[in-house]
Coordinates of all heavy atoms in Angstrom, one line a residue:
M1 N -11.5 57.1 103.6 CA -10.9 57.2 104.9 C -11.4 58.4 105.7 O -11.5 59.5 105.1 CB -9.4 57.3 104.8 CG -8.7 57.5 106.2 SD -7.0 58.0 105.9 CE -6.2 56.5 105.5
R2 N -11.8 58.2 106.9 CA -12.1 59.3 107.8 C -11.0 59.5 108.8 O -10.4 58.5 109.2 CB -13.5 59.1 108.5 CG -14.6 58.7 107.6 CD -15.0 59.8 106.7 NE -15.3 61.0 107.4 CZ -16.5 61.4 107.7 NH1 -17.6 60.7 107.4 NH2 -16.7 62.6 108.3
V3 N -10.8 60.7 109.3 CA -9.7 61.0 110.2 C -10.2 62.0 111.2 O -10.9 63.0 110.9 CB -8.4 61.4 109.5 CG1 -8.6 62.8 108.8 CG2 -7.3 61.5 110.5
R4 N -9.8 61.8 112.5 CA -10.1 62.7 113.6 C -8.8 62.9 114.4 O -8.0 62.1 114.5 CB -11.2 62.2 114.5 CG -12.5 62.1 114.0 CD -13.5 61.4 114.9 NE -12.9 61.0 116.2 CZ -13.1 61.6 117.4 NH1 -13.8 62.7 117.4 NH2 -12.6 61.1 118.5
V5 N -8.8 64.1 115.0 CA -7.7 64.3 116.0 C -8.4 64.3 117.4 O -9.3 65.1 117.6 CB -7.0 65.6 115.8 CG1 -6.1 66.0 117.0 CG2 -6.1 65.5 114.5
N6 N -7.9 63.5 118.3 CA -8.4 63.5 119.7 C -7.8 64.7 120.4 O -6.6 64.7 120.7 CB -8.0 62.2 120.4 CG -8.6 62.1 121.8 OD1 -8.7 63.1 122.5 ND2 -8.9 60.9 122.2
K7 N -8.6 65.7 120.7 CA -8.1 67.0 121.2 C -7.6 66.8 122.6 O -6.8 67.7 123.1 CB -9.2 68.1 121.2 CG -9.6 68.4 119.7 CD -10.5 69.6 119.7 CE -11.1 69.8 118.3 NZ -10.3 69.6 117.2
D8 N -8.0 65.8 123.3 CA -7.5 65.5 124.7 C -6.1 65.0 124.7 O -5.4 65.1 125.7 CB -8.4 64.6 125.4 CG -9.8 65.1 125.7 OD1 -9.9 66.4 125.8 OD2 -10.8 64.4 125.7
L9 N -5.7 64.4 123.6 CA -4.3 63.8 123.5 C -3.3 64.6 122.8 O -2.1 64.6 123.1 CB -4.4 62.4 122.8 CG -5.3 61.3 123.5 CD1 -5.3 60.1 122.7 CD2 -4.8 61.1 124.9
C10 N -3.8 65.4 121.8 CA -2.9 66.2 120.9 C -2.1 67.2 121.7 O -2.7 67.9 122.5 CB -3.7 66.9 119.8 SG -2.7 68.0 118.8
T11 N -0.8 67.3 121.5 CA 0.0 68.2 122.2 C 0.6 69.3 121.2 O 1.5 70.0 121.5 CB 1.2 67.6 122.9 OG1 1.9 66.7 121.9 CG2 0.7 66.7 124.0
A12 N 0.0 69.4 120.0 CA 0.3 70.4 119.1 C 1.8 70.4 118.7 O 2.4 71.4 118.5 CB -0.1 71.8 119.6
C13 N 2.3 69.2 118.5 CA 3.8 69.0 118.2 C 4.1 69.4 116.8 O 5.2 69.8 116.5 CB 4.2 67.6 118.5 SG 3.6 66.4 117.3
G14 N 3.1 69.3 115.9 CA 3.3 69.7 114.5 C 3.8 68.6 113.5 O 3.9 68.9 112.4
V15 N 4.0 67.4 114.0 CA 4.4 66.3 113.2 C 3.4 66.1 112.0 O 3.8 66.0 110.8 CB 4.6 65.0 114.0 CG1 4.7 63.8 113.0 CG2 5.9 65.1 114.8
C16 N 2.1 66.0 112.4 CA 1.1 65.7 111.3 C 1.1 66.8 110.3 O 1.0 66.6 109.1 CB -0.2 65.5 112.0 SG -0.8 66.9 113.0
E17 N 1.1 68.1 110.7 CA 1.1 69.2 109.8 C 2.3 69.2 108.9 O 2.2 69.4 107.7 CB 1.0 70.5 110.5 CG 0.8 71.7 109.6 CD 0.8 73.0 110.3 OE1 1.8 73.2 111.1 OE2 -0.1 73.8 110.1
G18 N 3.5 68.8 109.4 CA 4.7 68.7 108.6 C 4.6 67.7 107.5 O 5.1 67.9 106.5
L19 N 3.9 66.6 107.8 CA 3.8 65.5 106.8 C 2.7 65.8 105.8 O 2.8 65.5 104.6 CB 3.5 64.2 107.6 CG 4.7 63.5 108.2 CD1 4.2 62.4 109.1 CD2 5.6 62.9 107.1
V20 N 1.5 66.3 106.3 CA 0.4 66.4 105.4 C -0.3 67.8 105.7 O -1.4 67.8 106.3 CB -0.7 65.3 105.6 CG1 -1.4 65.0 104.2 CG2 -0.1 64.0 106.2
P21 N 0.2 68.9 105.3 CA -0.4 70.2 105.6 C -1.7 70.4 104.9 O -2.5 71.2 105.3 CB 0.7 71.2 105.1 CG 1.5 70.4 104.1 CD 1.5 69.0 104.6
E22 N -2.0 69.5 103.9 CA -3.3 69.6 103.2 C -4.4 69.1 104.2 O -5.6 69.5 104.0 CB -3.4 68.7 102.0 CG -2.4 69.1 100.9 CD -1.0 68.4 101.0 OE1 -0.7 67.9 102.2 OE2 -0.3 68.3 100.0
V23 N -4.1 68.3 105.1 CA -5.1 67.6 106.0 C -5.1 68.1 107.4 O -6.1 68.3 108.0 CB -4.9 66.1 106.0 CG1 -5.9 65.4 106.9 CG2 -5.2 65.5 104.6
F24 N -3.8 68.5 107.9 CA -3.8 68.9 109.3 C -3.2 70.3 109.4 O -2.3 70.7 108.7 CB -2.8 68.0 110.1 CG -3.2 66.5 110.1 CD1 -2.6 65.6 109.3 CD2 -4.2 66.1 110.9 CE1 -2.9 64.3 109.3 CE2 -4.6 64.7 111.0 CZ -3.9 63.8 110.1
S25 N -3.8 71.1 110.3 CA -3.4 72.5 110.5 C -3.2 72.8 112.0 O -4.0 72.4 112.8 CB -4.5 73.4 109.9 OG -4.2 74.7 110.4
L26 N -2.1 73.4 112.3 CA -1.9 73.9 113.7 C -2.1 75.4 113.8 O -1.5 76.0 114.7 CB -0.4 73.5 114.1 CG -0.1 72.2 114.8 CD1 -0.6 72.3 116.2 CD2 -0.7 71.1 114.1
E27 N -2.9 75.9 112.9 CA -3.1 77.3 112.8 C -3.5 78.0 114.2 O -3.1 79.0 114.5 CB -4.1 77.7 111.7 CG -3.9 79.1 111.2 CD -4.6 79.3 109.9 OE1 -4.4 78.4 109.0 OE2 -5.4 80.2 109.8
N28 N -4.4 77.2 114.9 CA -4.8 77.8 116.2 C -3.8 77.6 117.3 O -4.0 78.2 118.4 CB -6.2 77.2 116.6 CG -6.1 75.8 117.0 OD1 -5.1 75.3 117.2 ND2 -7.3 75.1 117.0
G29 N -2.7 76.9 117.0 CA -1.7 76.7 118.0 C -1.9 75.8 119.2 O -1.0 75.6 120.0
L30 N -3.1 75.3 119.3 CA -3.5 74.6 120.5 C -3.6 73.1 120.2 O -3.0 72.2 121.0 CB -4.8 75.0 121.1 CG -4.8 76.5 121.5 CD1 -6.2 77.0 121.9 CD2 -3.8 76.8 122.7
V31 N -4.3 72.7 119.2 CA -4.4 71.3 118.8 C -4.5 71.3 117.3 O -4.8 72.3 116.6 CB -5.7 70.7 119.3 CG1 -5.7 70.5 120.8 CG2 -7.0 71.4 118.9
A32 N -4.1 70.1 116.7 CA -4.2 70.0 115.3 C -5.7 69.9 114.9 O -6.5 69.3 115.5 CB -3.5 68.7 114.9
E33 N -6.0 70.6 113.8 CA -7.4 70.6 113.2 C -7.3 69.8 111.9 O -6.3 69.9 111.2 CB -7.9 72.0 113.0 CG -8.3 72.7 114.2 CD -8.9 74.1 113.9 OE1 -10.0 74.1 113.5 OE2 -8.2 75.1 114.1
V34 N -8.4 69.1 111.7 CA -8.5 68.3 110.4 C -9.1 69.2 109.4 O -10.2 69.8 109.6 CB -9.3 67.1 110.6 CG1 -9.5 66.4 109.3 CG2 -8.6 66.1 111.5
L35 N -8.5 69.4 108.2 CA -9.0 70.3 107.2 C -9.8 69.5 106.1 O -10.7 70.1 105.5 CB -7.8 71.0 106.5 CG -6.9 71.8 107.4 CD1 -5.8 72.4 106.5 CD2 -7.7 73.0 108.0
L36 N -9.4 68.3 105.9 CA -10.0 67.5 104.9 C -10.5 66.1 105.4 O -9.7 65.3 105.8 CB -9.1 67.2 103.7 CG -8.7 68.4 102.8 CD1 -7.7 67.9 101.8 CD2 -10.0 68.8 102.0
D37 N -11.8 65.9 105.6 CA -12.4 64.7 106.1 C -13.7 64.5 105.4 O -14.6 65.3 105.6 CB -12.5 64.8 107.6 CG -13.2 63.5 108.2 OD1 -12.7 62.4 107.8 OD2 -14.1 63.7 108.9
P38 N -13.9 63.5 104.6 CA -13.0 62.4 104.3 C -11.7 62.8 103.6 O -11.6 63.9 103.0 CB -13.8 61.5 103.3 CG -15.1 62.1 103.2 CD -15.1 63.4 103.8
V39 N -10.7 62.0 103.8 CA -9.3 62.2 103.2 C -9.3 61.9 101.7 O -9.7 60.8 101.4 CB -8.3 61.4 104.0 CG1 -6.9 61.6 103.4 CG2 -8.3 61.8 105.5
P40 N -8.8 62.8 100.9 CA -8.7 62.4 99.4 C -7.8 61.2 99.3 O -6.8 61.0 100.0 CB -8.1 63.6 98.8 CG -8.4 64.7 99.7 CD -8.4 64.1 101.1
E41 N -8.1 60.3 98.4 CA -7.4 59.0 98.2 C -5.9 59.2 98.1 O -5.1 58.4 98.7 CB -8.0 58.3 97.0 CG -7.8 56.8 97.1 CD -8.5 56.1 96.0 OE1 -9.7 56.5 95.6 OE2 -8.0 55.1 95.4
E42 N -5.5 60.2 97.4 CA -4.1 60.4 97.1 C -3.3 60.8 98.4 O -2.1 60.7 98.4 CB -3.8 61.4 96.0 CG -4.3 62.8 96.3 CD -5.7 63.0 95.9 OE1 -6.5 62.1 95.8 OE2 -6.1 64.2 95.7
L43 N -4.0 61.2 99.4 CA -3.3 61.6 100.7 C -3.4 60.5 101.8 O -2.9 60.7 102.9 CB -3.9 62.9 101.2 CG -3.7 64.1 100.3 CD1 -4.4 65.3 100.8 CD2 -2.2 64.4 100.1
E44 N -4.1 59.4 101.5 CA -4.4 58.4 102.5 C -3.1 57.9 103.1 O -3.0 57.7 104.4 CB -5.3 57.3 102.0 CG -6.7 57.8 101.8 CD -7.6 56.6 101.4 OE1 -7.1 55.5 101.1 OE2 -8.8 56.9 101.4
D45 N -2.1 57.5 102.3 CA -0.9 57.0 102.8 C -0.2 57.9 103.7 O 0.4 57.5 104.8 CB 0.1 56.5 101.7 CG -0.4 55.2 101.0 OD1 -1.2 54.5 101.6 OD2 0.1 54.9 99.9
L46 N -0.2 59.2 103.4 CA 0.5 60.2 104.2 C -0.2 60.4 105.6 O 0.4 60.6 106.6 CB 0.6 61.5 103.5 CG 1.7 61.7 102.5 CD1 1.6 63.0 101.7 CD2 3.1 61.6 103.2
V47 N -1.5 60.3 105.5 CA -2.3 60.4 106.8 C -2.0 59.2 107.7 O -1.9 59.3 108.9 CB -3.8 60.5 106.5 CG1 -4.7 60.4 107.7 CG2 -4.1 61.9 105.8
R48 N -1.9 58.0 107.1 CA -1.5 56.8 107.9 C -0.2 57.0 108.5 O 0.1 56.7 109.7 CB -1.5 55.5 107.0 CG -2.9 55.0 106.6 CD -2.8 53.7 105.9 NE -4.1 53.4 105.2 CZ -4.4 53.6 103.9 NH1 -3.4 54.0 103.1 NH2 -5.6 53.4 103.5
E49 N 0.8 57.6 107.7 CA 2.1 57.8 108.2 C 2.1 58.8 109.4 O 2.7 58.7 110.4 CB 3.0 58.4 107.1 CG 4.5 58.3 107.4 CD 5.3 58.9 106.2 OE1 4.8 58.7 105.0 OE2 6.4 59.4 106.5
A50 N 1.2 59.8 109.2 CA 1.1 60.8 110.3 C 0.6 60.2 111.6 O 1.0 60.4 112.7 CB 0.2 62.0 109.9
A51 N -0.4 59.3 111.4 CA -1.0 58.6 112.6 C 0.0 57.7 113.3 O 0.1 57.7 114.5 CB -2.2 57.8 112.2
E52 N 0.9 57.1 112.5 CA 1.9 56.2 113.0 C 3.0 57.0 113.8 O 3.6 56.6 114.7 CB 2.6 55.4 111.9 CG 1.7 54.2 111.5 CD 2.2 53.6 110.1 OE1 3.3 53.9 109.7 OE2 1.4 52.9 109.5
N53 N 3.2 58.2 113.3 CA 4.3 59.1 113.8 C 3.8 60.1 114.9 O 4.6 60.8 115.5 CB 5.0 59.8 112.7 CG 5.9 58.8 111.9 OD1 6.9 58.4 112.4 ND2 5.4 58.4 110.8
C54 N 2.5 60.2 115.1 CA 2.0 61.1 116.1 C 2.5 60.6 117.5 O 2.2 59.5 117.9 CB 0.5 61.1 116.1 SG -0.2 62.0 117.5
P55 N 3.3 61.4 118.2 CA 3.9 60.9 119.5 C 2.8 60.7 120.6 O 3.1 60.0 121.6 CB 4.8 62.0 119.8 CG 4.3 63.2 119.1 CD 3.7 62.7 117.9
D56 N 1.6 61.2 120.4 CA 0.6 61.1 121.4 C -0.5 60.2 121.0 O -1.5 60.0 121.8 CB 0.1 62.5 121.8 CG 1.2 63.4 122.3 OD1 1.8 63.0 123.3 OD2 1.5 64.4 121.6
G57 N -0.4 59.5 119.9 CA -1.5 58.6 119.5 C -2.8 59.3 119.3 O -3.9 58.8 119.6
A58 N -2.8 60.6 118.9 CA -4.0 61.4 118.9 C -4.8 61.3 117.6 O -5.9 61.8 117.5 CB -3.7 62.8 119.2
I59 N -4.2 60.7 116.5 CA -4.8 60.7 115.2 C -5.6 59.4 115.1 O -5.0 58.3 115.1 CB -3.8 60.9 114.1 CG1 -3.1 62.2 114.2 CG2 -4.5 60.7 112.7 CD1 -2.0 62.5 113.3
E60 N -6.9 59.5 114.9 CA -7.7 58.3 114.8 C -8.2 58.2 113.4 O -8.8 59.1 112.8 CB -8.9 58.4 115.8 CG -8.4 58.5 117.2 CD -9.5 59.0 118.2 OE1 -10.7 59.3 117.7 OE2 -9.2 59.1 119.4
I61 N -8.0 57.0 112.8 CA -8.3 56.8 111.4 C -9.4 55.7 111.4 O -9.4 54.8 112.1 CB -7.1 56.2 110.6 CG1 -6.1 57.4 110.3 CG2 -7.5 55.6 109.3 CD1 -4.8 56.9 109.7
E62 N -10.4 56.0 110.5 CA -11.4 55.0 110.2 C -11.4 54.7 108.7 O -11.7 55.5 107.9 CB -12.8 55.6 110.6 CG -13.9 54.6 110.6 CD -15.2 55.3 111.0 OE1 -15.1 56.2 112.0 OE2 -16.2 55.0 110.4
E63 N -10.9 53.5 108.4 CA -10.8 53.0 107.0 C -12.2 52.7 106.5 O -13.0 52.1 107.3 CB -9.9 51.8 106.9 CG -8.5 52.0 107.4 CD -7.6 52.6 106.4 OE1 -8.0 52.9 105.2 OE2 -6.4 52.8 106.7
E64 N -12.5 53.1 105.3 CA -13.8 52.7 104.7 C -13.5 51.7 103.6 O -12.4 51.6 103.0 CB -14.5 54.0 104.2 CG -14.8 54.9 105.3 CD -15.3 56.3 104.7 OE1 -14.8 56.7 103.7 OE2 -16.3 56.8 105.3
D65 N -14.6 51.0 103.2 CA -14.4 49.9 102.2 C -14.3 50.6 100.8 O -14.8 51.6 100.6 CB -15.7 49.0 102.2 CG -15.7 48.2 103.5 OD1 -14.7 48.0 104.1 OD2 -16.8 47.9 103.8
Ligands
SF4_101 S1 1.2 64.7 115.4 FE1 -0.3 64.2 116.9 S2 0.2 65.4 118.8 FE2 1.4 66.2 117.0 S3 0.1 67.9 116.3 FE3 -0.5 66.1 115.1 S4 -2.2 65.2 116.2 FE4 -1.2 66.6 117.6

């Protein structure tokens, strides 16, 4: 799985970091940054959950075979 944050949509709410701090970081305070891409298999479900719960639809997932 590949994951990106659309910086034009992200409002730095922190939901993604709260769910998967291994993958998303709000350290710069402006937009969420992706720390791990591709996403390790064991974190894929949490990343899907983060994408579903992102209030701005900013998390873009690309599933791989
Ligand atoms: S949940 Fe969405 S809007 Fe909130 S910080 Fe993460 S990417 Fe940005």
Side-chain angles (χ1 to χ4, degrees):
M1 174 196 284
R2 306 297 304 264
V3 64
R4 289 175 0 105
V5 169
N6 185 326
K7 297 188 186 326
D8 294 329
L9 297 178
C10 174
T11 53
C13 72
V15 165
C16 56
E17 184 183 53
L19 280 166
V20 213
E22 299 90 337
V23 174
F24 300 103
S25 170
L26 266 289
E27 202 164 306
N28 69 17
L30 301 173
V31 292
E33 287 184 74
V34 174
L35 303 177
L36 286 175
D37 177 51
V39 177
E41 205 172 319
E42 64 272 21
L43 296 175
E44 289 185 348
D45 282 346
L46 280 171
V47 169
R48 287 187 195 100
E49 194 178 332
E52 284 164 14
N53 286 285
C54 171
D56 300 298
I59 299 175
E60 299 166 0
I61 285 175
E62 191 179 318
E63 301 276 359
E64 294 172 322
D65 294 333

